[in-house]
Structures are given as C-alpha cells and as structure tokens.
Amino acid sequence: MGIKKLSRVESKLYALHNDAKKDIMRVGPRIVKSIFRPIQPKDFENLYLPISQSQGNSLRNIILKNDCKHIVEFGTSFGISTIYLADAARQIGGNVITTEILKSKAEKAHKNISEAGLIDYVDIKIGDALKTLKEHKEPIDFLFLDGWKDLYLPLFKMLEPRFHPSTLIYADNMDMVGTKFYANYLAAKNDMYYSEVVDQGKAFLTRLK
C-alpha cells in the first residue's frame, strides 16, 4: 500500500507546525526584555505562538458543522490558524477577515496562506484590530479571538452589534491572566451568552442564548 499524499493545505500545515516547534528556542531574548519593560507585540515578531493541530481541526469542524461562512479572526500571526479557518471557508463558500498588528508577520502569513492555496478566501488587515475592524459592517458567523489577551473584551464589545442568533465565538488561551476581563463580562451576561470550556480547558466556545 502506498503512502497517502498530503493535500496542499495539510502539507503546508505540517511544515508550519514543525517549524513552530522551534518557538521554544526563539523565546529566550523576549523573556529577558520583559524583565525591564512590559511585553510588546514586537517582542513576538519571530514567534508563531500557534494553536495546536487538534485545535485547528476542532475549529475547522465547528465551522463546517455550523455552516459559518463569515469568519473574523483576531490574531493572524504567521497564518496557521488562518489556514484552518480558510480551508473550512473554502468548503462552504465562505471567507475570512483576519487581523495582524505587525506588518512583517502579516506578510509571512500572506505567503503561507498563498502556498496553502487559500489566499482567495482571506482578507488580511494590518494594524490595531480595534481600528482595522472598527468599520466592519457584515454579520459575523464565527469570531476567533487569539490576539493580545487584554483586547479580547474591547474587541468583542465593538463587534457585538454584528452578532446574530447563530454566531459562535471561540476564544483561545482562556487560562491566561489577560483574558479575565472577557471571562467576567460573559459571566455577567449569562442571560445573553452561554459558554462551554473546550480543547482541554484552553478555550471558551460561546454562543448566544
């Protein structure tokens, strides 16, 4: 029996996930800098900080199962998560709007997404997401939060008018301190939102009641 050939998407994801394993070797200088001043997005310019393969597959399956065509992502990085989102969008005739504050990372993400054959399904916005998404007018079917953690809440509140009864919100790294304001907001709005902990306790999947 021959070896199954990976698709263009899966081949690119395999390569990116392998390269992302080197993050542990790249993170050292950033830790040193954080001793002397607050951590800044620029400190992570050369780091993937990716979702896992299992999370990526989970995201893709949720989008496909719920027919979430209009997808917004906060935190492109080098495009690993965007590829999972865009692959799902491709299969159901959808699209992804994604945001990255660092131009250098956005350019690498564009290259990676293009090599996966998915760039036609993705619009990358460069800059502060609170500014680049401020004029977003389209209904949001799926919102993926995976950028700067203390921006989860202001971004969520800014985009709330674009939610509808079937909107799903997936927030990663909910075990990190910076997400507490977002978690507290959802708890205070428990008459409006229902959240479940998913992916080994790392994330919240939220829907409107």
Side-chain angles (χ1 to χ4, degrees), residues 87-143:
D87 188 46
R90 173 189 61 81
Q91 296 180 57
I92 56 176
N95 66 286
V96 179
I97 294 174
T98 187
T99 60
E100 174 54 50
I101 195 168
L102 298 176
K103 183 179 179 182
S104 62
K105 295 191 90 169
E107 289 172 346
K108 290 179 182 178
H110 188 284
K111 180 176 182 290
N112 291 331
I113 297 163
S114 295
E115 290 176 352
L118 295 169
I119 199 61
D120 289 345
Y121 304 93
V122 179
D123 176 14
I124 303 175
K125 295 186 178 297
I126 304 172
D128 181 347
L130 290 172
K131 296 179 181 178
T132 60
L133 293 176
K134 187 176 182 180
E135 302 303 321
H136 184 82
K137 303 299 183 186
E138 299 297 320
I140 297 172
D141 297 336
F142 190 88
L143 174 62

Short mmCIF file of all heavy atoms in Angstrom, two decimals, residues 87-143:
data_model
loop_
_atom_site.label_atom_id
_atom_site.label_comp_id
_atom_site.label_asym_id
_atom_site.label_seq_id
_atom_site.Cartn_x
_atom_site.Cartn_y
_atom_site.Cartn_z
N ASP A 87 -9.60 27.06 5.12
CA ASP A 87 -9.90 25.77 4.49
C ASP A 87 -11.37 25.40 4.72
O ASP A 87 -12.03 24.88 3.83
CB ASP A 87 -8.99 24.69 5.05
CG ASP A 87 -9.13 23.38 4.29
OD1 ASP A 87 -9.14 23.41 3.04
OD2 ASP A 87 -9.23 22.32 4.94
N ALA A 88 -11.87 25.70 5.92
CA ALA A 88 -13.29 25.47 6.19
C ALA A 88 -14.14 26.41 5.35
O ALA A 88 -15.14 25.99 4.75
CB ALA A 88 -13.58 25.68 7.67
N ALA A 89 -13.74 27.69 5.28
CA ALA A 89 -14.50 28.66 4.49
C ALA A 89 -14.57 28.25 3.03
O ALA A 89 -15.61 28.38 2.37
CB ALA A 89 -13.85 30.04 4.62
N ARG A 90 -13.47 27.74 2.51
CA ARG A 90 -13.42 27.29 1.11
C ARG A 90 -14.47 26.21 0.84
O ARG A 90 -15.14 26.23 -0.20
CB ARG A 90 -12.02 26.75 0.80
CG ARG A 90 -11.88 26.10 -0.58
CD ARG A 90 -10.55 25.40 -0.74
NE ARG A 90 -10.37 24.33 0.23
CZ ARG A 90 -10.88 23.10 0.09
NH1 ARG A 90 -11.62 22.80 -0.97
NH2 ARG A 90 -10.66 22.17 1.02
N GLN A 91 -14.64 25.32 1.79
CA GLN A 91 -15.54 24.18 1.59
C GLN A 91 -17.02 24.56 1.63
O GLN A 91 -17.86 23.81 1.12
CB GLN A 91 -15.25 23.11 2.64
CG GLN A 91 -13.86 22.50 2.51
CD GLN A 91 -13.59 21.44 3.57
OE1 GLN A 91 -14.33 20.46 3.69
NE2 GLN A 91 -12.53 21.64 4.35
N ILE A 92 -17.33 25.71 2.24
CA ILE A 92 -18.74 26.11 2.35
C ILE A 92 -19.04 27.44 1.66
O ILE A 92 -20.10 28.02 1.85
CB ILE A 92 -19.18 26.18 3.83
CG1 ILE A 92 -18.29 27.14 4.63
CG2 ILE A 92 -19.19 24.79 4.46
CD1 ILE A 92 -18.72 27.32 6.07
N GLY A 93 -18.06 27.91 0.88
CA GLY A 93 -18.28 29.16 0.15
C GLY A 93 -18.24 30.40 1.03
O GLY A 93 -18.96 31.36 0.79
N GLY A 94 -17.36 30.37 2.02
CA GLY A 94 -17.25 31.50 2.94
C GLY A 94 -15.98 32.31 2.75
O GLY A 94 -15.30 32.18 1.73
N ASN A 95 -15.68 33.14 3.75
CA ASN A 95 -14.48 33.97 3.68
C ASN A 95 -14.00 34.28 5.08
O ASN A 95 -14.74 34.17 6.06
CB ASN A 95 -14.77 35.28 2.94
CG ASN A 95 -15.74 36.17 3.70
OD1 ASN A 95 -16.95 35.89 3.74
ND2 ASN A 95 -15.25 37.23 4.32
N VAL A 96 -12.73 34.68 5.18
CA VAL A 96 -12.10 35.01 6.46
C VAL A 96 -11.53 36.42 6.40
O VAL A 96 -10.80 36.76 5.47
CB VAL A 96 -10.96 34.03 6.80
CG1 VAL A 96 -10.31 34.40 8.13
CG2 VAL A 96 -11.46 32.59 6.82
N ILE A 97 -11.88 37.23 7.38
CA ILE A 97 -11.20 38.51 7.59
C ILE A 97 -10.32 38.32 8.81
O ILE A 97 -10.81 37.96 9.89
CB ILE A 97 -12.20 39.66 7.81
CG1 ILE A 97 -13.02 39.90 6.55
CG2 ILE A 97 -11.47 40.93 8.22
CD1 ILE A 97 -14.14 40.90 6.73
N THR A 98 -9.02 38.52 8.64
CA THR A 98 -8.10 38.30 9.75
C THR A 98 -7.26 39.53 9.99
O THR A 98 -7.09 40.36 9.09
CB THR A 98 -7.22 37.05 9.50
OG1 THR A 98 -6.45 36.77 10.68
CG2 THR A 98 -6.29 37.27 8.31
N THR A 99 -6.74 39.67 11.20
CA THR A 99 -6.05 40.89 11.60
C THR A 99 -4.69 40.59 12.22
O THR A 99 -4.57 39.65 13.03
CB THR A 99 -6.90 41.67 12.63
OG1 THR A 99 -7.09 40.85 13.78
CG2 THR A 99 -8.25 42.04 12.05
N GLU A 100 -3.70 41.37 11.86
CA GLU A 100 -2.35 41.23 12.43
C GLU A 100 -1.74 42.61 12.61
O GLU A 100 -1.69 43.40 11.67
CB GLU A 100 -1.48 40.36 11.52
CG GLU A 100 -0.03 40.27 11.95
CD GLU A 100 0.13 39.81 13.40
OE1 GLU A 100 -0.49 38.80 13.78
OE2 GLU A 100 0.85 40.50 14.15
N ILE A 101 -1.28 42.89 13.81
CA ILE A 101 -0.75 44.22 14.10
C ILE A 101 0.62 44.46 13.48
O ILE A 101 0.98 45.59 13.16
CB ILE A 101 -0.72 44.46 15.63
CG1 ILE A 101 -0.52 45.95 15.91
CG2 ILE A 101 0.35 43.60 16.30
CD1 ILE A 101 -0.77 46.33 17.37
N LEU A 102 1.42 43.39 13.31
CA LEU A 102 2.77 43.53 12.77
C LEU A 102 2.80 43.25 11.27
O LEU A 102 2.41 42.17 10.82
CB LEU A 102 3.73 42.58 13.48
CG LEU A 102 3.92 42.80 14.99
CD1 LEU A 102 4.81 41.73 15.58
CD2 LEU A 102 4.49 44.18 15.27
N LYS A 103 3.29 44.21 10.51
CA LYS A 103 3.33 44.08 9.06
C LYS A 103 4.19 42.89 8.64
O LYS A 103 3.84 42.15 7.70
CB LYS A 103 3.87 45.36 8.43
CG LYS A 103 3.88 45.33 6.90
CD LYS A 103 4.39 46.64 6.33
CE LYS A 103 4.42 46.59 4.80
NZ LYS A 103 4.95 47.85 4.22
N SER A 104 5.32 42.69 9.30
CA SER A 104 6.22 41.60 8.92
C SER A 104 5.55 40.23 9.08
O SER A 104 5.72 39.34 8.24
CB SER A 104 7.50 41.65 9.75
OG SER A 104 7.22 41.48 11.13
N LYS A 105 4.77 40.07 10.15
CA LYS A 105 4.07 38.80 10.35
C LYS A 105 2.94 38.64 9.34
O LYS A 105 2.71 37.55 8.82
CB LYS A 105 3.52 38.70 11.78
CG LYS A 105 4.58 38.67 12.85
CD LYS A 105 4.01 38.30 14.22
CE LYS A 105 4.05 36.81 14.43
NZ LYS A 105 3.77 36.41 15.82
N ALA A 106 2.26 39.74 9.05
CA ALA A 106 1.17 39.69 8.06
C ALA A 106 1.70 39.27 6.69
O ALA A 106 1.05 38.51 5.97
CB ALA A 106 0.48 41.04 7.97
N GLU A 107 2.88 39.76 6.34
CA GLU A 107 3.47 39.41 5.04
C GLU A 107 3.84 37.93 4.99
O GLU A 107 3.64 37.27 3.97
CB GLU A 107 4.70 40.29 4.79
CG GLU A 107 4.35 41.75 4.50
CD GLU A 107 5.56 42.66 4.44
OE1 GLU A 107 6.64 42.23 4.89
OE2 GLU A 107 5.41 43.80 3.95
N LYS A 108 4.37 37.40 6.10
CA LYS A 108 4.69 35.97 6.14
C LYS A 108 3.41 35.14 6.11
O LYS A 108 3.37 34.08 5.47
CB LYS A 108 5.51 35.66 7.39
CG LYS A 108 6.92 36.23 7.36
CD LYS A 108 7.68 35.92 8.63
CE LYS A 108 9.07 36.53 8.60
NZ LYS A 108 9.82 36.28 9.87
N ALA A 109 2.39 35.62 6.80
CA ALA A 109 1.11 34.91 6.79
C ALA A 109 0.54 34.87 5.38
O ALA A 109 0.03 33.83 4.93
CB ALA A 109 0.12 35.59 7.74
N HIS A 110 0.61 36.00 4.67
CA HIS A 110 0.12 36.06 3.29
C HIS A 110 0.82 35.01 2.43
O HIS A 110 0.19 34.30 1.63
CB HIS A 110 0.34 37.45 2.72
CG HIS A 110 -0.31 37.69 1.39
ND1 HIS A 110 0.21 37.17 0.20
CD2 HIS A 110 -1.45 38.36 1.03
CE1 HIS A 110 -0.56 37.52 -0.80
NE2 HIS A 110 -1.58 38.23 -0.32
N LYS A 111 2.13 34.89 2.59
CA LYS A 111 2.91 33.91 1.84
C LYS A 111 2.48 32.49 2.19
O LYS A 111 2.27 31.64 1.30
CB LYS A 111 4.39 34.10 2.13
CG LYS A 111 5.33 33.15 1.40
CD LYS A 111 6.78 33.50 1.69
CE LYS A 111 7.74 32.59 0.92
NZ LYS A 111 7.71 31.21 1.44
N ASN A 112 2.33 32.22 3.48
CA ASN A 112 1.95 30.87 3.91
C ASN A 112 0.55 30.50 3.44
O ASN A 112 0.31 29.37 2.99
CB ASN A 112 2.03 30.77 5.44
CG ASN A 112 3.46 30.83 5.94
OD1 ASN A 112 4.39 30.42 5.25
ND2 ASN A 112 3.64 31.33 7.14
N ILE A 113 -0.38 31.43 3.56
CA ILE A 113 -1.76 31.17 3.14
C ILE A 113 -1.82 30.97 1.63
O ILE A 113 -2.54 30.11 1.12
CB ILE A 113 -2.69 32.31 3.59
CG1 ILE A 113 -2.71 32.39 5.12
CG2 ILE A 113 -4.10 32.12 3.06
CD1 ILE A 113 -3.25 33.69 5.67
N SER A 114 -1.03 31.74 0.89
CA SER A 114 -0.96 31.61 -0.57
C SER A 114 -0.43 30.23 -0.95
O SER A 114 -0.94 29.57 -1.86
CB SER A 114 -0.08 32.70 -1.17
OG SER A 114 -0.63 33.97 -0.98
N GLU A 115 0.61 29.79 -0.26
CA GLU A 115 1.21 28.49 -0.56
C GLU A 115 0.27 27.34 -0.22
O GLU A 115 0.39 26.25 -0.79
CB GLU A 115 2.54 28.35 0.19
CG GLU A 115 3.62 29.27 -0.38
CD GLU A 115 4.92 29.23 0.41
OE1 GLU A 115 4.95 28.60 1.50
OE2 GLU A 115 5.90 29.84 -0.06
N ALA A 116 -0.66 27.60 0.69
CA ALA A 116 -1.68 26.59 1.00
C ALA A 116 -2.82 26.62 -0.01
O ALA A 116 -3.74 25.78 0.05
CB ALA A 116 -2.23 26.81 2.41
N GLY A 117 -2.79 27.61 -0.93
CA GLY A 117 -3.82 27.71 -1.96
C GLY A 117 -5.12 28.33 -1.49
O GLY A 117 -6.17 28.10 -2.09
N LEU A 118 -5.05 29.17 -0.43
CA LEU A 118 -6.28 29.66 0.20
C LEU A 118 -6.40 31.18 0.24
O LEU A 118 -7.34 31.71 0.83
CB LEU A 118 -6.37 29.11 1.63
CG LEU A 118 -6.52 27.60 1.76
CD1 LEU A 118 -6.33 27.17 3.21
CD2 LEU A 118 -7.87 27.14 1.24
N ILE A 119 -5.48 31.89 -0.38
CA ILE A 119 -5.47 33.34 -0.24
C ILE A 119 -6.72 34.00 -0.82
O ILE A 119 -7.12 35.09 -0.38
CB ILE A 119 -4.19 33.95 -0.88
CG1 ILE A 119 -3.94 35.37 -0.33
CG2 ILE A 119 -4.26 33.91 -2.40
CD1 ILE A 119 -3.72 35.45 1.14
N ASP A 120 -7.38 33.35 -1.78
CA ASP A 120 -8.60 33.92 -2.35
C ASP A 120 -9.75 33.98 -1.34
O ASP A 120 -10.75 34.67 -1.58
CB ASP A 120 -9.06 33.10 -3.57
CG ASP A 120 -8.14 33.29 -4.76
OD1 ASP A 120 -7.34 34.24 -4.76
OD2 ASP A 120 -8.23 32.47 -5.71
N TYR A 121 -9.60 33.28 -0.23
CA TYR A 121 -10.66 33.23 0.79
C TYR A 121 -10.34 34.09 2.00
O TYR A 121 -11.08 34.09 2.98
CB TYR A 121 -10.91 31.78 1.23
CG TYR A 121 -11.22 30.87 0.08
CD1 TYR A 121 -10.21 30.16 -0.56
CD2 TYR A 121 -12.52 30.76 -0.41
CE1 TYR A 121 -10.49 29.35 -1.65
CE2 TYR A 121 -12.81 29.95 -1.49
CZ TYR A 121 -11.78 29.26 -2.11
OH TYR A 121 -12.07 28.46 -3.20
N VAL A 122 -9.22 34.84 1.93
CA VAL A 122 -8.73 35.56 3.10
C VAL A 122 -8.44 37.02 2.79
O VAL A 122 -7.84 37.35 1.77
CB VAL A 122 -7.43 34.90 3.64
CG1 VAL A 122 -6.90 35.67 4.85
CG2 VAL A 122 -7.68 33.44 4.01
N ASP A 123 -8.86 37.90 3.70
CA ASP A 123 -8.53 39.32 3.64
C ASP A 123 -7.75 39.64 4.91
O ASP A 123 -8.28 39.56 6.02
CB ASP A 123 -9.82 40.15 3.58
CG ASP A 123 -9.57 41.65 3.63
OD1 ASP A 123 -8.41 42.07 3.44
OD2 ASP A 123 -10.53 42.40 3.85
N ILE A 124 -6.45 39.97 4.76
CA ILE A 124 -5.60 40.27 5.90
C ILE A 124 -5.56 41.77 6.14
O ILE A 124 -5.15 42.53 5.26
CB ILE A 124 -4.16 39.75 5.69
CG1 ILE A 124 -4.16 38.24 5.41
CG2 ILE A 124 -3.29 40.06 6.92
CD1 ILE A 124 -2.80 37.69 5.07
N LYS A 125 -5.98 42.18 7.33
CA LYS A 125 -5.94 43.60 7.69
C LYS A 125 -4.76 43.82 8.64
O LYS A 125 -4.64 43.13 9.65
CB LYS A 125 -7.25 44.02 8.34
CG LYS A 125 -8.44 43.94 7.38
CD LYS A 125 -9.69 44.51 7.99
CE LYS A 125 -10.86 44.47 7.01
NZ LYS A 125 -10.62 45.30 5.82
N ILE A 126 -3.92 44.81 8.31
CA ILE A 126 -2.71 45.06 9.09
C ILE A 126 -2.89 46.29 9.98
O ILE A 126 -3.30 47.35 9.51
CB ILE A 126 -1.50 45.26 8.15
CG1 ILE A 126 -1.34 44.06 7.22
CG2 ILE A 126 -0.23 45.49 8.96
CD1 ILE A 126 -0.30 44.26 6.14
N GLY A 127 -2.57 46.10 11.27
CA GLY A 127 -2.69 47.21 12.22
C GLY A 127 -3.48 46.81 13.45
O GLY A 127 -3.83 45.64 13.64
N ASP A 128 -3.76 47.77 14.28
CA ASP A 128 -4.55 47.58 15.50
C ASP A 128 -5.96 47.13 15.12
O ASP A 128 -6.68 47.84 14.43
CB ASP A 128 -4.59 48.91 16.26
CG ASP A 128 -5.35 48.84 17.57
OD1 ASP A 128 -6.07 47.86 17.81
OD2 ASP A 128 -5.24 49.79 18.35
N ALA A 129 -6.35 45.96 15.60
CA ALA A 129 -7.66 45.41 15.23
C ALA A 129 -8.81 46.30 15.65
O ALA A 129 -9.86 46.31 15.00
CB ALA A 129 -7.82 44.02 15.84
N LEU A 130 -8.64 47.05 16.73
CA LEU A 130 -9.70 47.96 17.16
C LEU A 130 -9.93 49.08 16.15
O LEU A 130 -10.99 49.72 16.14
CB LEU A 130 -9.38 48.55 18.53
CG LEU A 130 -9.45 47.57 19.71
CD1 LEU A 130 -8.93 48.21 20.98
CD2 LEU A 130 -10.88 47.07 19.91
N LYS A 131 -8.95 49.31 15.30
CA LYS A 131 -9.08 50.29 14.24
C LYS A 131 -9.44 49.62 12.91
O LYS A 131 -10.33 50.09 12.19
CB LYS A 131 -7.78 51.08 14.08
CG LYS A 131 -7.43 51.92 15.30
CD LYS A 131 -6.11 52.66 15.11
CE LYS A 131 -5.76 53.48 16.33
NZ LYS A 131 -4.44 54.17 16.18
N THR A 132 -8.76 48.51 12.58
CA THR A 132 -8.99 47.89 11.27
C THR A 132 -10.36 47.22 11.16
O THR A 132 -10.89 47.04 10.06
CB THR A 132 -7.90 46.84 10.95
OG1 THR A 132 -7.90 45.81 11.94
CG2 THR A 132 -6.52 47.49 10.91
N LEU A 133 -10.94 46.85 12.31
CA LEU A 133 -12.27 46.23 12.30
C LEU A 133 -13.38 47.18 12.73
O LEU A 133 -14.55 46.79 12.80
CB LEU A 133 -12.28 44.99 13.21
CG LEU A 133 -11.42 43.81 12.76
CD1 LEU A 133 -11.45 42.71 13.81
CD2 LEU A 133 -11.88 43.26 11.42
N LYS A 134 -13.01 48.41 13.00
CA LYS A 134 -13.99 49.38 13.51
C LYS A 134 -15.15 49.59 12.56
O LYS A 134 -16.31 49.76 12.98
CB LYS A 134 -13.29 50.71 13.79
CG LYS A 134 -14.18 51.74 14.47
CD LYS A 134 -13.40 53.01 14.81
CE LYS A 134 -14.29 54.00 15.52
NZ LYS A 134 -13.55 55.24 15.87
N GLU A 135 -14.88 49.58 11.27
CA GLU A 135 -15.92 49.82 10.27
C GLU A 135 -16.53 48.53 9.71
O GLU A 135 -17.23 48.57 8.71
CB GLU A 135 -15.35 50.67 9.12
CG GLU A 135 -14.77 52.01 9.55
CD GLU A 135 -15.77 52.87 10.29
OE1 GLU A 135 -16.96 52.88 9.90
OE2 GLU A 135 -15.38 53.52 11.27
N HIS A 136 -16.27 47.42 10.37
CA HIS A 136 -16.81 46.15 9.88
C HIS A 136 -18.34 46.16 10.02
O HIS A 136 -18.87 46.36 11.12
CB HIS A 136 -16.23 44.98 10.68
CG HIS A 136 -16.67 43.64 10.18
ND1 HIS A 136 -16.08 43.01 9.11
CD2 HIS A 136 -17.67 42.82 10.59
CE1 HIS A 136 -16.68 41.87 8.89
NE2 HIS A 136 -17.66 41.73 9.78
N LYS A 137 -19.02 45.95 8.93
CA LYS A 137 -20.49 46.06 8.92
C LYS A 137 -21.21 44.73 8.69
O LYS A 137 -22.42 44.64 8.91
CB LYS A 137 -20.92 47.05 7.83
CG LYS A 137 -20.33 48.45 7.96
CD LYS A 137 -20.73 49.12 9.27
CE LYS A 137 -20.19 50.55 9.36
NZ LYS A 137 -20.46 51.15 10.68
N GLU A 138 -20.48 43.72 8.24
CA GLU A 138 -21.13 42.45 7.88
C GLU A 138 -21.45 41.62 9.12
O GLU A 138 -20.73 41.68 10.12
CB GLU A 138 -20.22 41.64 6.95
CG GLU A 138 -19.90 42.33 5.63
CD GLU A 138 -21.14 42.57 4.81
OE1 GLU A 138 -22.01 41.67 4.77
OE2 GLU A 138 -21.25 43.65 4.21
N PRO A 139 -22.53 40.84 9.08
CA PRO A 139 -22.82 39.92 10.17
C PRO A 139 -21.66 38.93 10.34
O PRO A 139 -21.03 38.53 9.36
CB PRO A 139 -24.09 39.20 9.71
CG PRO A 139 -24.71 40.12 8.70
CD PRO A 139 -23.57 40.78 8.01
N ILE A 140 -21.38 38.55 11.56
CA ILE A 140 -20.29 37.62 11.87
C ILE A 140 -20.89 36.28 12.27
O ILE A 140 -21.67 36.19 13.22
CB ILE A 140 -19.40 38.17 13.00
CG1 ILE A 140 -18.72 39.46 12.55
CG2 ILE A 140 -18.35 37.14 13.41
CD1 ILE A 140 -17.97 40.18 13.66
N ASP A 141 -20.49 35.24 11.55
CA ASP A 141 -20.94 33.88 11.89
C ASP A 141 -20.01 33.23 12.90
O ASP A 141 -20.46 32.46 13.76
CB ASP A 141 -21.00 33.00 10.64
CG ASP A 141 -22.00 33.49 9.61
OD1 ASP A 141 -22.94 34.21 9.99
OD2 ASP A 141 -21.83 33.17 8.42
N PHE A 142 -18.70 33.52 12.76
CA PHE A 142 -17.70 32.89 13.64
C PHE A 142 -16.61 33.90 13.94
O PHE A 142 -16.01 34.47 13.03
CB PHE A 142 -17.09 31.67 12.96
CG PHE A 142 -16.23 30.82 13.85
CD1 PHE A 142 -16.78 29.82 14.62
CD2 PHE A 142 -14.86 31.05 13.94
CE1 PHE A 142 -15.98 29.03 15.46
CE2 PHE A 142 -14.06 30.28 14.77
CZ PHE A 142 -14.61 29.26 15.53
N LEU A 143 -16.37 34.15 15.23
CA LEU A 143 -15.31 35.05 15.67
C LEU A 143 -14.28 34.23 16.42
O LEU A 143 -14.61 33.54 17.39
CB LEU A 143 -15.88 36.15 16.58
CG LEU A 143 -14.86 37.09 17.24
CD1 LEU A 143 -14.08 37.88 16.19
CD2 LEU A 143 -15.58 38.04 18.21
#
